Amino acid sequence: YMGRLRGEPKMAQTFAKAAQSAVKLAANSPKIAKGAVKSTQEFLASPEVVKTWSTVKKEFAFPGPSEWPAVQKGFKKLIRSAQTGAFANFTVSEAAKNTLVFAEICTFFYVGEIIGRGSLIGYDV
């Protein structure tokens, strides 16, 4: 019983210190939040991020109506090369690009499936 009594003042001191830290954190949270917002704004305004974001917007944009004939032409060329075996004549560079595009499409499909079902594994049945 005496050992428990000896430990109680230390526990009370620990709780008091934790409460004081919580009060300081609450008092400083507006400053912390302002600093986080400022550093985030500075990061987003950096030239590297601006350039990357403009590239991402161009590359991931859906094709517009004026670009559909080129898309259709590309699909027809792809089907024709599959039917005639012309894909065997691709250079290594073209084959690598096509493989990466296929992997990218598959990855987006699988990530969309995971987001859609809300689970990494299987559907809730």
Side-chain angles (χ1 to χ4, degrees):
Y1 184 75
M2 288 302 286
R4 202 168 55 161
L5 285 177
R6 285 187 205 142
E8 287 178 6
K10 289 182 182 178
M11 194 181 323
Q13 288 175 350
T14 304
F15 284 131
K17 287 181 181 178
Q20 288 173 350
S21 297
V23 168
K24 286 181 184 178
L25 179 64
N28 291 328
S29 62
K31 293 177 188 175
I32 294 169
K34 286 179 185 177
V37 168
K38 184 178 179 184
S39 65
T40 302
Q41 288 172 341
E42 290 171 357
F43 170 74
L44 292 176
S46 67
E48 297 88 9
V49 173
V50 170
K51 181 180 177 185
T52 302
W53 183 247
S54 67
T55 303
V56 166
K57 286 194 318 189
K58 289 176 192 171
E59 292 295 323
F60 288 117
F62 289 108
S66 63
E67 297 172 323
W68 277 109
V71 171
Q72 289 175 339
K73 184 179 176 183
F75 276 120
K76 287 179 183 177
K77 181 180 174 185
L78 179 67
I79 291 170
R80 195 176 316 115
S81 71
Q83 290 172 341
T84 62
F87 60 88
N89 297 328
F90 282 161
T91 63
V92 174
S93 173
E94 289 174 327
K97 287 179 194 175
N98 290 339
T99 303
L100 289 176
V101 168
F102 178 74
E104 180 182 19
I105 291 169
C106 288
T107 301
F108 283 139
F109 173 77
Y110 291 130
V111 168
E113 283 288 310
I114 291 167
I115 292 170
R117 67 179 169 243
S119 170
L120 184 62
I121 302 171
Y123 289 93
D124 293 330
V125 179

